[in-house]
Amino acid sequence: MNTSSGIGLSTMKPCRRILVSCKNSSLFGFPFLNSNYLITDNLSKLQPNLNDLPDSSNRVVGFTRTNTPNWRAFCLSGSDSGQSRFFSGCPLNTSNDRLVSNIANVASDVRNHSTSIESRVNQNSFEKIYVRGDLHVKPLLIETIEEAHKVLENVEKDKDYEARVEANDSLGVNRDNLNQRSDGSMVFRSTLKREVSEVEKEAWKLLRGAVVNYCGLPVGTVAAADPADKLPLNYDQVFIRDFVPSALAFLLNGEGEIVKNFLLHTLQLQSWEKTVDCHSPGQGLMPASFKVKAVPLEGRNGEFEDVLDPDFGESAIGRVAPVDSGLWWIILLRAYGKITGDYSLQERVDVQTGIRWILNLCLTDGFDMFPTLLVTDGSCMIDRRMGIHGHPLEIQSLFYSALRCSREMLTVNDSTKKLVAAINNRLSALSFHIREHYWVDMKKINEIYRYKTEEYSTEAINKFNIYPEQIPSWLVDWIPENGGYFIGNLQPAHMDFRFFTLGNLWAIISSLGTPTQNEGVVSLIEDKWDDLVSGMPLKICYPALEYEEWRVITGSDPKNTPWSYHNAGSWPTLLWQFTLACMKMGKPELASRALASAEKRLLVDQWPEYYDTRHGRFIGKQSRLYQTWTIAGYLTSKMLLENPEMASMLFWNEDYEILENCVCGLNKNGRRTKCARVASRSPSSMSEPLLPQIKETHC
């Protein structure tokens, strides 16, 4: 980088009116929606009078360095950018007296390059900009026509992209989409037109009605949008976890803009400096949710600006930070690239940095001896006290999925080689640990029943000192002869034998389980359909905590009463993950059966958050209506079943490199020994490539 240029009033070129087609154009690499923005210019107003600005301290000042500690440097490199750590803002009302291209995405897309980044990709020409970094920062106001000229040049280059096929029905549901691959080629994906049911029409209407806009651009969907709810609490916020099914619905429908906006805006909020009792979260932490707030502009009567207010758990019930938000963010980032064919987002410097920060936080060494993530109760979808602290299956399955996603997306160079090696090692260790110690079937239950305890040896069979008396009475009669599942948790002297649906489904989707184990989970769900699916798919866990166990473990939680909420309530949003798992295992008819069951009631019941009772017959006693991820889960399930090729992009097959690199023990000389393992294959899994040189072994 030999030269740099600053943005200032003196660099402006004369221009009366510039019409920017925002469909495929971008400023700083961030796309606009399918609409036109009119940028007007009145040269008589282009005088360097700082008093005309809402807040002169927040203006772009070119290369002028100040001694004010609140100013921070930002670097731009085409579409690549770094990391910022503040609220971003956007004025809602601006004066027409001066040239202001108030582009909503600028604030979120300008990211400060951390000095810890050892190398930057495609760093040819950076423009340094200084903005104030305190609370409610206003966005950069583009006051140079040079940027607009760049946009127009991009428009000319991308004219062929205008051939994109638009919506063909009254709902705006895209049935033909033009995807652009990373190499610039265009790929058409077509879906046969069909009659859209009334349930789908209503679902799309509600999903679009739940969209949240930030400075005129869609950035997510609220958790619930019940017009009759006078006390929404945090259900009027955009949750990273909750938005994933909404994002997939939009992506499968050919609408990627809102997903890209969401990914970049949440990335800007990563590790924002909030504290709980004077303690700050670790670098890389993603917020659980954020809310768009309208804040009055200082000194501008009647004018407001949009600001993003993230919640890292400091306002949550229990004050628990979300462990799964960053994992979901990485999973969604991969899905965006797979479905749209646009891999440029993954390659951006700021996005690569965000991935690395999340992984560094997850892979940090600590006191834990296991390859699983150690987390507190309530740090995931089950966000209240439910006895899942320690190493819950849900987090481990999502962790494994995020590691596999990161392995695909990380740019490998000198600065990331160690991180990639750490990912490979953790994948191997985590895979072995879960497959070996979390899996239970009739054979494994019999082994546990005969366990010896108090074994002190590296050769101990009962490694975690599990007492056979812990086998619950309900499991003895419930476990089928064929099939099995991954238990909910494993800790010293404790096995949580409850069936947790989300963790088991993601073990299938990510191939955390062996092909045989994955088939066993699907077989168990089919065999225990009345317990796990029943009248409303699907139980979040089974069975419920009852009586004294409920009082001790949940603290007599009035919301987690037996067969309600997270204590074995039924959650329709799990449909899309169940659909994906069934399609991977060649059982789409099971997903169709569950979807048909839900379809009969969801519209009539006004799309509840969850259902109560053992068979899901009642709408949850505290369930929000018009729950967005219930709506999105239904739509995503429908589209996945109609587009098997899209579904195949969202799951993983067995990775034999992970198996071959497994380091799971020490030999007599104290040196690490490698072992490769692969489960015996059933006919349904023979489509995966065979490695005859690998035999099934145990460490």
Side-chain angles (χ1 to χ4, degrees):
M1 181 171 62
N2 299 321
T3 61
S4 300
S5 61
I7 295 179
L9 291 172
S10 62
T11 63
M12 289 186 176
K13 297 180 180 179
C15 179
R16 295 293 298 177
R17 291 167 60 89
I18 300 176
L19 182 64
V20 180
S21 176
C22 300
K23 182 173 183 180
N24 301 296
S25 303
S26 65
L27 287 180
F28 305 120
F30 199 88
F32 299 107
L33 289 178
N34 297 341
S35 59
N36 293 328
Y37 286 75
L38 184 63
I39 302 177
T40 60
D41 178 12
N42 189 332
L43 295 179
S44 64
K45 303 297 181 182
L46 298 183
Q47 303 298 326
N49 184 2
L50 300 182
N51 295 327
D52 291 339
L53 295 174
D55 184 355
S56 61
S57 64
N58 287 334
R59 293 192 65 246
V60 177
V61 296
F63 261 109
T64 304
R65 287 187 177 271
T66 70
N67 294 324
T68 305
N70 285 333
W71 290 82
R72 298 180 181 179
F74 286 77
C75 298
L76 303 178
S77 177
S79 63
D80 295 331
S81 49
Q83 169 72 15
S84 64
R85 302 179 67 181
F86 55 81
F87 288 153
S88 60
C90 169
L92 299 182
N93 298 316
T94 56
S95 173
N96 292 326
D97 295 337
R98 60 191 178 86
L99 171 65
V100 175
S101 172
N102 188 14
I103 306 303
N105 56 351
V106 172
S108 66
D109 202 31
V110 179
R111 309 289 302 275
N112 180 23
H113 281 266
S114 170
T115 55
S116 63
I117 300 178
E118 292 84 352
S119 64
R120 299 188 173 101
V121 182
N122 299 327
Q123 182 176 351
N124 298 321
S125 177
F126 285 92
E127 291 183 338
K128 291 188 176 180
I129 302 174
Y130 294 86
V131 299
R132 203 168 123 194
D134 57 353
L135 190 64
H136 300 326
V137 171
K138 299 177 177 60
L140 299 176
L141 301 180
I142 304 306
E143 298 184 347
T144 170
I145 308 304
E146 293 178 351
E147 296 298 336
H149 283 304
K150 293 179 182 179
V151 172
L152 292 176
E153 292 174 2
N154 290 336
V155 172
E156 294 298 323
K157 294 178 182 179
D158 294 338
K159 278 185 177 179
D160 59 337
Y161 192 75
E162 300 290 338
R164 179 177 177 136
V165 181
E166 295 297 339
N168 63 3
D169 59 33
S170 60
L171 293 173
V173 179
N174 296 333
R175 296 303 179 187
D176 299 298
N177 302 291
L178 186 62
N179 290 341
Q180 186 174 22
R181 297 296 180 186
S182 57
D183 61 359
S185 62
M186 312 306 293
V187 179
F188 278 95
R189 174 174 63 84
S190 297
T191 304
L192 294 177
K193 297 179 182 179
R194 61 172 180 80
E195 184 177 352
V196 180
S197 68
E198 291 300 321
V199 181
E200 288 177 84
K201 290 180 181 179
E202 180 66 15
W204 275 111
K205 178 182 177 181
L206 293 172
L207 181 59
R208 298 191 191 284
V211 170
V212 173
N213 289 308
Y214 171 65
C215 301
L217 292 176
V219 293
T221 51
V222 293
D226 183 359
D229 189 359
K230 304 303 181 183
L231 191 64
L233 297 178
N234 59 351
Y235 282 80
D236 61 350
Q237 298 187 21
V238 180
F239 282 79
I240 290 183
R241 178 196 313 122
D242 293 32
F243 180 68
V244 172
S246 297
L248 292 177
F250 286 123
L251 287 173
L252 292 170
N253 196 46
E255 303 174 55
E257 291 87 354
I258 185 175
V259 182
K260 187 172 185 178
N261 294 352
F262 170 85
L263 288 168
L264 289 174
H265 278 286
T266 50
L267 181 62
Q268 179 196 353
L269 300 175
Q270 185 184 34
S271 296
W272 195 82
E273 296 175 359
K274 281 195 173 184
T275 62
V276 178
D277 293 339
C278 304
H279 183 73
S280 300
Q283 186 183 66
L285 182 67
M286 281 286 188
S289 63
F290 66 86
K291 185 174 183 177
V292 178
K293 293 183 176 180
V295 177
L297 279 169
E298 184 179 354
R300 308 282 288 189
N301 292 334
E303 296 188 10
F304 298 81
E305 65 175 347
D306 277 347
V307 296
L308 297 178
D309 186 5
D311 179 9
F312 290 88
E314 73 281 356
S315 300
I317 297 174
R319 301 298 189 266
V320 179
V323 176
D324 60 343
S325 291
L327 307 178
W328 279 120
W329 186 87
I330 290 176
I331 292 169
L332 180 58
L333 177 64
R334 174 187 181 266
Y336 173 85
K338 285 286 186 178
I339 294 177
T340 65
D342 175 17
Y343 296 100
S344 62
L345 183 64
Q346 302 173 7
E347 298 166 357
R348 290 171 47 133
V349 172
D350 57 339
V351 174
Q352 289 283 313
T353 302
I355 297 173
R356 291 165 58 185
W357 281 9
I358 295 171
L359 294 178
N360 286 336
L361 186 62
C362 293
L363 297 173
T364 300
D365 292 333
F367 289 99
D368 197 20
M369 295 291 290
F370 307 134
T372 44
L373 275 183
L374 178 63
V375 299
T376 58
D377 223 347
S379 60
C380 51
M381 178 181 175
I382 299 178
D383 58 6
R384 295 170 78 94
R385 179 177 167 186
M386 270 287 289
I388 62 169
H389 58 280
H391 307 88
L393 176 66
E394 175 181 329
I395 290 296
Q396 314 316 321
S397 296
L398 292 174
F399 181 37
Y400 187 80
S401 302
L403 288 174
R404 292 200 66 172
C405 291
S406 302
R407 194 164 171 249
E408 294 179 26
M409 297 187 296
L410 272 177
T411 301
V412 181
N413 51 42
D414 290 340
S415 65
T416 60
K417 285 191 298 186
K418 290 184 178 180
L419 180 58
V420 172
I423 291 172
N424 288 330
N425 290 338
R426 183 60 69 91
L427 280 170
S428 297
L430 184 60
S431 172
F432 173 77
H433 186 82
I434 298 296
R435 293 179 179 189
E436 185 75 8
H437 303 302
Y438 276 63
W439 177 256
V440 293
D441 52 16
M442 182 60 77
K443 178 182 178 182
K444 186 63 177 289
I445 295 296
N446 268 285
E447 291 179 6
I448 297 173
Y449 184 72
R450 294 174 54 81
Y451 266 173
K452 296 180 180 179
T453 59
E454 317 304 330
E455 293 182 290
Y456 180 80
S457 167
T458 57
E459 306 299 325
I461 296 176
N462 187 1
K463 293 181 174 65
F464 300 95
N465 201 36
I466 303 300
Y467 302 107
E469 290 77 12
Q470 289 183 5
I471 300 175
S473 58
W474 64 265
L475 181 62
V476 176
D477 297 323
W478 191 76
I479 190 79
E481 290 292 335
N482 298 314
Y485 66 100
F486 294 100
I487 62 172
N489 210 335
L490 175 67
Q491 300 181 70
H494 174 69
M495 295 183 78
D496 186 346
F497 286 98
R498 287 175 291 175
F499 178 92
F500 286 86
T501 303
L502 182 60
N504 275 278
L505 292 180
W506 273 99
I508 297 173
I509 294 168
S510 64
S511 285
L512 176 56
T514 68
T516 301
Q517 289 172 340
N518 294 339
E519 290 179 0
V521 174
V522 175
S523 296
L524 179 134
I525 294 175
E526 189 173 12
D527 187 86
K528 299 298 178 181
W529 189 271
D530 289 341
D531 292 329
L532 302 176
V533 183
S534 194
M536 177 54 65
L538 284 120
K539 281 278 180 288
I540 192 170
C541 65
Y542 183 89
L545 299 173
E546 298 183 282
Y547 311 115
E548 187 63 23
E549 188 179 29
W550 165 74
R551 284 189 287 271
V552 171
I553 293 180
T554 73
S556 300
D557 186 350
K559 194 170 185 178
N560 270 332
T561 52
W563 309 105
S564 178
Y565 197 54
H566 290 146
N567 190 10
S570 298
W571 291 73
T573 187
L574 294 173
L575 263 173
W576 74 269
Q577 292 158 105
F578 179 62
T579 299
L580 198 56
C582 288
M583 294 184 74
K584 178 186 177 181
M585 302 311 298
K587 294 285 187 77
E589 66 278 3
L590 292 181
S592 298
R593 179 182 171 189
L595 187 64
S597 176
E599 199 168 28
K600 295 176 183 178
R601 298 182 57 187
L602 289 178
L603 178 60
V604 176
D605 294 341
Q606 299 178 313
W607 309 92
E609 179 184 14
Y610 62 93
Y611 285 79
D612 285 355
T613 74
R614 181 185 289 267
H615 298 292
R617 298 183 64 187
F618 292 172
I619 297 174
K621 58 187 175 183
Q622 296 188 42
S623 174
R624 290 303 199 278
L625 302 180
Y626 299 102
Q627 186 79 12
T628 304
W629 70 351
T630 296
I631 299 166
Y634 163 76
L635 289 172
T636 300
S637 298
K638 293 284 288 189
M639 287 188 283
L640 287 173
L641 286 169
E642 294 167 8
N643 296 276
E645 73 283 0
M646 291 293 103
S648 65
M649 295 181 180
L650 299 176
F651 57 70
W652 296 260
N653 288 320
E654 184 75 283
D655 188 330
Y656 296 100
E657 184 178 348
I658 294 176
L659 302 180
E660 290 177 317
N661 291 336
C662 173
V663 180
C664 54
L666 299 173
N667 61 17
K668 294 181 179 179
N669 297 325
R671 296 180 179 178
R672 293 190 178 275
T673 58
K674 291 186 178 182
C675 77
R677 60 195 186 284
V678 65
S680 58
R681 303 175 182 277
S682 61
S684 63
S685 64
M686 293 302 289
S687 59
E688 298 179 12
L690 296 178
L691 294 182
Q693 71 274 20
I694 299 180
K695 297 181 180 180
E696 182 178 5
T697 60
H698 294 280
C699 302

